[in-house]
Amino acid sequence: MVPTLQDGDRLLVLNAMLDNDYEYGDIVVLRKDTFLEEPIVKRVIATEGQTVDIDFTAGAVYVDGQLLEEDDIRQPTYLEEGLEFPVTVPEGCVFVMGDNRNDSDDSRDPELGPVDTRQILGRAVFLLFPGVTADTDKRDFGRIGPLT
């Protein structure tokens, strides 16, 4: 999720049992044991019934035919991970991607694919304590605050 999040960031996460109405842009913590044993943090790109298409040559992501304007990503989406597009998100699922798209395992990988919302542990809403930023090898306390 670089640049939005760094390794070691401490987050406030709202429990999915209390808050499970996900929408575009939400940062979620999820676990799918058949994909990875550890929880992962990703951004919701699309919800049930929406269609995701990616032009890997242009690095552009479309939802329901509309180009996403993604200010939070590190670089355009050039990395294909095997899922065939376009994909319509099944009922009860979300499509998630990392902000560091070309170095991210996410719903583009057929082993993860669209994520059943029951696999979401919660929504990350606040950065409580920053991890060490890879670029500077320091903690940036100015990053503390709400996540968008």
Side-chain angles (χ1 to χ4, degrees):
M1 286 292 295
V2 172
T4 304
L5 299 174
Q6 302 291 322
D7 285 340
D9 281 353
R10 300 295 182 243
L11 309 173
L12 174 63
V13 178
L14 296 180
N15 187 307
M17 293 179 70
L18 303 173
D19 180 35
N20 61 3
D21 186 25
Y22 305 107
E23 57 188 47
Y24 171 77
D26 286 344
I27 297 172
V28 295
V29 179
L30 64 102
R31 176 183 287 144
K32 184 174 181 181
D33 292 333
T34 58
F35 184 67
L36 288 173
E37 290 182 20
E38 299 174 2
I40 58 176
V41 180
K42 300 294 171 189
R43 188 178 299 276
V44 173
I45 298 303
T47 58
E48 65 180 57
Q50 293 187 301
T51 300
V52 178
D53 201 2
I54 302 176
D55 178 343
F56 291 102
T57 303
V61 178
Y62 298 86
V63 174
D64 293 337
Q66 299 294 315
L67 175 64
L68 296 182
E69 293 188 29
E70 302 179 287
D71 298 330
D72 297 317
I73 65 172
R74 189 172 203 172
Q75 71 272 67
T77 308
Y78 299 120
L79 179 67
E80 295 184 47
E81 292 192 25
L83 195 67
E84 291 189 29
F85 290 91
V87 171
T88 299
V89 181
E91 183 177 340
C93 294
V94 294
F95 193 93
V96 297
M97 295 177 76
D99 288 354
N100 188 9
R101 302 282 171 79
N102 299 314
D103 191 25
S104 176
D105 293 321
D106 53 37
S107 287
R108 292 171 291 163
D109 186 326
E111 289 189 33
L112 181 61
V115 175
D116 188 314
T117 57
R118 294 174 293 190
Q119 295 170 316
I120 296 176
L121 304 173
R123 179 191 335 250
V125 295
F126 198 90
L127 175 63
L128 296 168
F129 188 79
V132 174
T133 304
D135 297 344
T136 64
D137 210 21
K138 297 180 181 178
R139 295 184 196 279
D140 179 2
F141 290 96
R143 295 178 45 241
I144 293 174
L147 296 170
T148 58

